[in-house]
Amino acid sequence: MRNKLGILIACLFCQLVLGQNNSRKSLHGQVINDFLTIESGYVMNVNSNVRTFIGAGGLFDIMARPKDTLLFSGLAFQSRKVVLTEKDLAEVLLKVKLDLVNNQLKEVVVHKELKVKALDKGSQRYVDMQFEDDKLSTAKNNVMYSDQTIKYGTDFVRIFKDVKKLLSKKEDVQETVISDIAFAEYAKDNFSPDFYTKTLDLKPDEVELFLMYCSNDAESKNYLGPDNRFQLMDFMINKNKEFKKAEVVKK
């Protein structure tokens, strides 16, 4: 009797799992831009851990269902996150607009190479300045292994405020969107390109998608303080293991 009950429960469980998988259907979509035709990039379904390529004309196909989160990324285009609705799935061809990467985003990060010409109004910029070591400075240890972080990393809160100010002209820009962009800029500025391409073994065109993947995890916001770079690095290394396990669907 117990064996029969166990078999019945197992069958019901399998049906439940299969039912959940079968509830996803093929979503046909197109990634567009007002100025350029998008011919390459990635679309990733975070919930099913599957990603596919954006093809010619910006077209893509991916299995999805309502409430799934899709991440879109392409070279020269700003990454975007979309949570699907019933209406989205009912579209014959779902169109998703990606904006061109705004070069001003690179300017919201204050680097040590920037020099102040005169001591006039606006004291905040002097706080942001970084100075080279002198005889009274703490000695730099050149022997210890580098953690791949930039010596003078930037502050996430500051980047967030600057990005928010930059995007304030756009209508209906959500805080989560600003936070995703700010996280990507913060992570890129506080870790060298080699960390992504060599340590994490990511292709250059995968970096933006990966950072969006990390930002989608609420835990990422716990490691954005100036003293948390080791924790953030460890977090991204672990997220990269998940990212690498994603099934890549080719047309």
Side-chain angles (χ1 to χ4, degrees), residues 32 44 87 95 131 194 216 227 233 235 246:
I32 59 174
M44 182 173 190
K87 183 179 178 181
K95 294 190 176 183
F131 299 92
D194 283 350
N216 187 63
D227 298 325
M233 180 176 64
F235 168 77

Side-chain angles (χ1 to χ4, degrees), residues 11-210:
C11 291
L12 291 175
F13 178 76
C14 291
Q15 289 180 350
L16 178 62
V17 172
L18 291 173
Q20 288 178 341
N21 291 333
N22 291 334
S23 66
R24 285 192 171 90
K25 64 178 184 179
S26 182
L27 172 66
H28 307 290
Q30 182 181 28
V31 182
I32 59 174
N33 178 265
D34 291 336
F35 305 101
L36 296 176
T37 301
I38 302 176
E39 301 286 350
S40 62
Y42 295 98
V43 182
M44 182 173 190
N45 187 328
V46 177
N47 300 81
S48 61
N49 206 28
V50 171
R51 61 173 165 146
T52 188
F53 297 96
I54 297 173
L59 297 173
F60 68 89
D61 291 288
I62 195 167
M63 300 298 291
R65 63 187 177 194
K67 297 183 179 181
D68 276 357
T69 298
L70 300 187
L71 306 181
F72 296 85
S73 177
L75 288 175
F77 298 95
Q78 185 65 58
S79 299
R80 183 177 175 185
K81 178 169 61 179
V82 174
V83 179
L84 296 173
T85 64
E86 293 277 2
K87 183 179 178 181
D88 294 330
L89 271 297
E91 295 283 347
V92 176
L93 184 68
L94 176 66
K95 294 190 176 183
V96 179
K97 184 178 178 181
L98 293 187
D99 294 326
L100 289 170
V101 170
N102 194 326
N103 289 329
Q104 287 179 288
L105 285 176
K106 299 178 182 179
E107 298 174 5
V108 304
V109 181
V110 182
H111 295 284
K112 68 185 177 80
E113 288 79 11
L114 297 181
K115 297 181 180 179
V116 178
K117 296 181 179 180
L119 295 175
D120 51 13
K121 60 182 179 179
S123 60
Q124 181 59 50
R125 55 179 170 173
Y126 305 118
V127 176
D128 293 331
M129 288 179 64
Q130 302 290 347
F131 299 92
E132 294 299 326
D133 295 340
D134 56 30
K135 293 181 180 180
L136 298 178
S137 300
T138 302
K140 177 183 177 182
N141 189 338
N142 292 308
V143 179
M144 293 297 291
Y145 172 75
S146 171
D147 66 352
Q148 300 292 340
T149 58
I150 291 178
K151 182 180 176 183
Y152 299 119
T154 50
D155 177 55
F156 174 79
V157 176
R158 187 68 188 278
I159 294 179
F160 181 89
K161 290 180 179 178
D162 287 339
V163 171
K164 186 174 183 179
K165 185 184 299 183
L166 182 64
L167 299 180
S168 61
K169 297 180 181 179
K170 295 185 179 182
E171 297 180 357
D172 301 326
V173 178
Q174 299 178 355
E175 294 281 309
T176 53
V177 174
I178 297 172
S179 181
D180 288 337
I181 296 174
F183 176 86
E185 293 301 315
Y186 175 84
K188 285 186 290 185
D189 195 67
N190 282 274
F191 293 87
S192 70
D194 283 350
F195 172 71
Y196 298 102
T197 58
K198 294 182 179 180
T199 304
L200 299 184
D201 192 28
L202 294 170
K203 298 176 183 177
D205 64 345
E206 290 179 319
V207 175
E208 291 289 341
L209 181 67
F210 170 70

